[in-house]
Amino acid sequence: MKIDGWVNDFGEKEPDYKKRKKQKKKRNLPKFENLSKFSIIKIVVAVLLVFAIWNHFRYYSEINHMMDYIESRQYAIAIDYYSSLEKEFSEGKMDRFNAKLSRKINKFLENTGDDFFKGSISKEKFTGFVNMVNSLDRITVKSEKLLEQCKKAADMYSDGSIDYETAKSFVDTISALQGMEVGTEEYRQDIEFIYDSRMLYEQGYEYQKKFQYSQAIENYEKVLEKDKKYYKKAEENKKECIEKMYDYYIQEAALAAKGGNYQVATEYMEYVKKYYPDDEKVEKILKDYQKKLDEYTLGSDDIKNIYCKAVDIEPEEITVSPLPQMVNGEKYYYAEILKDGKRINEVLINAENKKLYLYKDGERSYKDIDNANFFRLNTNGEIEFAISKKDATENLKNELEKKKRVYKKVEEIDSDKAERYSKSDKKISEMLNKKENTYFFFIGNKGFLRGKDLYCVDMYSGAVYSFENNKLVLI
């Protein structure tokens, strides 16, 4: 059977599909010219690939040796080995080696930093490695990555992931790397600020436990907002302090006022008012203490003027050192009176009525003034007031009346004139144990040519005595 278009070996035509197949094969075969270009490209790519692989693994052995010495802390050997490579390699070859070693060291630094944060590498080991790197002058450290690690250290300390010593040691160690000191200062300061902030919090918490709420609040307010771990705690504790101080400070102010310290009482209430500005109770108490503070506060000049007026001297001649005192619920000021640096008197002044008292006891006394009032410190160290001459006179008259001792006249005399009326062989000072300056002396006059009797009244106890048979007798 014949098919159109097909010729066999005997001159007969081939089918069309075979002709197309042969033509297709013929078209797919590259010409010699195209085949040469394709081969060249493949060769170039292969060469570049081989060069890249060779370049990647070039110095692999030397770098591994260096890193092994460094990681095993054989720093002296590492330095000697590095020096031997400098002698062996050309300048260009050494530059390429240093570039590869730098990348390796930078990576190691990053990994070592993470290990340092975890605590799996000691500060001494990390510091030794940094010092080793510094000794290799031609090694380039990438500051960007290391600064990121420093920031990480500051952030981890802020959120409580690592402690102060770890964060500070890391940044300090990195800053020791050549050229890193300036860049790390920001993070060192961040760590120090957070540290100071936490110390303020801890101190504030101690104040709070001791009910020193104003100091606690002051510290809590200084805790930095960027201190992620403690800022929220500080705000919560501050709120608690404000709530608790209301009753506590009102109570403390009352105790201070009771002790006559209206300055402290006022300070307590002013602090409460700072956080309770519209509280009517706080406002009322504060005004009361402020009024008493104005009325009952005496300064050095006030005391000088009161004393100088009583003794009739110029204020410029003396100096005073006042000290507030509470006696029987009333406020007084005790002061030493100094002239030319020497003590010439001791006084006590009532803050409300400005009444002046001079010191007098059996051991020390000073120059009297007319109608003076006296005080002393008793054996318990407490202030004790003397009775007045008027009260002493009344005591004497009452006791004489009880004993039916009648006199036409009872009059006070000075102690230095009392000796002539004692009718005793012993001196009055001997009978009074040398404490005659704490007694008021009186003469009981029986009348013309009938004689006079000597009496004395203890100015602190009010007891009345007579002098009989060389003895002091209580009547």
Side-chain angles (χ1 to χ4, degrees):
M1 180 176 68
K2 295 182 181 181
I3 300 174
D4 290 341
W6 176 74
V7 179
N8 60 15
D9 292 335
F10 302 104
E12 297 174 330
K13 289 185 178 181
E14 293 181 336
D16 288 339
Y17 75 91
K18 286 189 175 183
K19 291 169 70 175
R20 287 195 297 272
K21 188 174 182 181
K22 288 180 179 180
Q23 289 173 355
K24 186 175 182 181
K25 286 182 179 181
K26 189 175 181 180
R27 285 196 301 269
N28 287 342
L29 290 175
K31 296 181 180 178
F32 179 76
E33 182 180 354
N34 292 336
L35 180 63
S36 299
K37 290 180 180 178
F38 180 73
S39 299
I40 292 171
I41 291 172
K42 288 198 295 183
I43 292 170
V44 170
V45 171
V47 169
L48 291 174
L49 182 60
V50 170
F51 178 80
I53 294 171
W54 173 81
N55 191 54
H56 177 76
F57 289 102
R58 194 181 185 191
Y59 315 119
Y60 183 82
S61 175
E62 290 87 346
I63 289 173
N64 278 348
H65 282 315
M66 278 293 295
M67 294 307 298
D68 286 343
Y69 293 142
I70 292 172
E71 292 179 30
S72 60
R73 303 176 70 179
Q74 299 181 66
Y75 301 131
I77 297 176
I79 292 173
D80 289 342
Y81 182 69
Y82 185 82
S83 298
S84 69
L85 293 178
E86 285 185 309
K87 295 175 182 178
E88 178 185 343
F89 291 170
S90 66
E91 187 69 23
K93 190 174 181 180
M94 196 66 196
D95 287 341
R96 291 189 291 275
F97 172 78
N98 284 328
K100 294 180 180 297
L101 182 60
S102 294
R103 288 194 290 271
K104 193 79 172 179
I105 285 177
N106 276 284
K107 187 64 178 176
F108 182 74
L109 271 173
E110 293 177 34
N111 295 335
T112 305
D114 290 332
D115 291 339
F116 188 76
F117 297 148
K118 297 173 185 176
S120 55
I121 182 173
S122 67
K123 177 183 176 182
E124 290 73 22
K125 187 173 182 180
F126 188 44
T127 302
F129 176 68
V130 167
N131 291 336
M132 173 67 210
V133 174
N134 276 337
S135 68
L136 304 175
D137 297 334
R138 299 172 67 179
I139 296 300
T140 303
V141 175
K142 289 186 177 180
S143 61
E144 296 83 2
K145 291 290 185 181
L146 294 179
L147 289 178
E148 287 178 9
Q149 290 282 75
C150 290
K151 182 179 184 304
K152 182 178 179 180
D155 291 341
M156 290 178 73
Y157 175 53
S158 178
D159 64 25
S161 300
I162 58 176
D163 60 20
Y164 169 73
E165 286 301 327
T166 301
K168 183 177 183 298
S169 296
F170 179 81
V171 175
D172 286 346
T173 304
I174 292 299
S175 68
L177 284 166
Q178 293 179 13
M180 292 297 297
E181 184 175 358
V182 175
T184 56
E185 185 60 28
E186 174 186 353
Y187 305 110
R188 181 189 286 108
Q189 289 184 1
D190 284 346
I191 291 169
E192 292 298 333
F193 288 153
I194 296 295
Y195 176 80
D196 292 340
S197 173
R198 290 184 182 173
M199 290 301 100
L200 287 168
Y201 174 87
E202 296 294 343
Q203 188 179 34
Y205 187 65
E206 290 301 315
Y207 283 136
Q208 184 177 355
K209 290 193 294 185
K210 298 175 183 177
F211 311 109
Q212 296 173 304
Y213 296 120
S214 62
Q215 295 94 322
I217 291 171
E218 182 178 348
N219 275 41
Y220 289 146
E221 288 178 341
K222 293 178 182 178
V223 174
L224 298 178
E225 188 171 356
K226 65 179 179 180
D227 185 354
K228 302 171 185 176
K229 185 175 180 181
Y230 282 91
Y231 180 74
K232 185 177 180 181
K233 288 183 179 180
E235 290 295 299
E236 292 172 351
N237 288 3
K238 174 185 171 182
K239 183 179 179 181
E240 183 178 342
C241 286
I242 293 172
E243 292 174 355
K244 289 186 175 180
M245 79 175 180
Y246 182 90
D247 291 331
Y248 183 77
Y249 274 11
I250 289 177
Q251 178 183 343
E252 290 297 297
L255 289 174
K258 186 177 180 180
N261 199 338
Y262 298 112
Q263 178 66 43
V264 172
T266 300
E267 289 173 359
Y268 273 122
M269 296 312 302
E270 284 178 340
Y271 200 81
V272 176
K273 183 176 173 58
K274 178 180 177 181
Y275 295 97
Y276 296 89
D278 301 321
D279 191 290
E280 294 181 0
K281 178 182 177 181
V282 171
E283 182 69 21
K284 183 178 182 300
I285 295 173
L286 176 59
K287 285 183 177 180
D288 181 51
Y289 291 154
Q290 287 174 333
K291 180 181 179 182
K292 289 181 178 178
L293 179 62
D294 292 338
E295 293 176 351
Y296 299 155
T297 300
L298 298 178
S300 297
D301 290 341
D302 298 319
I303 292 171
K304 284 171 62 174
N305 291 331
I306 292 171
Y307 176 78
C308 291
K309 183 178 180 181
V311 299
D312 195 23
I313 62 173
E314 294 298 322
E316 292 77 13
E317 298 179 15
I318 66 168
T319 57
V320 301
S321 51
L323 181 67
Q325 302 281 326
M326 287 301 293
V327 184
N328 300 327
E330 293 186 82
K331 186 175 182 179
Y332 291 81
Y333 282 88
Y334 165 83
E336 289 185 336
I337 309 298
L338 305 176
K339 184 176 182 179
D340 298 326
K342 295 181 179 180
R343 184 172 62 191
I344 63 172
N345 218 322
E346 295 173 75
V347 301
L348 197 68
I349 301 175
N350 186 295
E352 184 176 5
N353 57 32
K354 313 303 184 288
K355 190 174 182 179
L356 175 69
Y357 298 82
L358 305 181
Y359 192 90
K360 179 177 282 194
D361 67 6
E363 297 179 0
R364 69 182 190 269
S365 63
Y366 306 92
K367 182 179 179 180
D368 286 350
I369 59 176
D370 293 339
N371 300 314
N373 304 288
F374 301 102
F375 77 101
R376 71 176 179 183
L377 291 178
N378 61 23
T379 55
N380 296 324
E382 299 171 342
I383 290 176
E384 187 176 4
F385 292 103
I387 63 175
S388 65
K389 291 179 180 180
K390 181 180 178 182
D391 290 337
T393 302
E394 289 298 320
N395 282 4
L396 174 61
K397 288 181 178 180
N398 290 336
E399 292 300 323
L400 293 176
E401 187 176 343
K402 290 178 184 178
K403 300 296 182 181
K404 300 187 182 306
R405 297 184 185 185
V406 180
Y407 295 95
K408 290 186 66 176
K409 187 178 181 182
V410 174
E411 58 183 319
E412 182 197 357
I413 61 171
D414 294 334
S415 59
D416 57 353
K417 296 178 180 179
E419 198 71 54
R420 71 182 71 170
Y421 299 105
S422 70
K423 302 175 186 179
S424 302
D425 296 331
K426 289 184 177 182
K427 290 186 176 182
I428 290 177
S429 62
E430 185 179 353
M431 289 185 281
L432 294 177
N433 296 319
K434 297 182 179 181
K435 294 182 179 180
E436 63 272 18
N437 64 335
T438 61
Y439 291 84
F440 295 115
F441 292 90
F442 297 89
I443 292 296
N445 192 338
K446 297 178 181 178
F448 185 68
L449 299 177
R450 296 182 64 184
K452 297 177 181 179
D453 295 327
L454 179 65
Y455 296 93
C456 67
V457 178
D458 187 320
M459 64 172 56
Y460 289 103
S461 69
V464 179
Y465 299 89
S466 63
F467 297 87
E468 301 174 15
N469 300 319
N470 295 324
K471 292 181 181 181
L472 190 68
V473 179
L474 180 65
I475 66 169

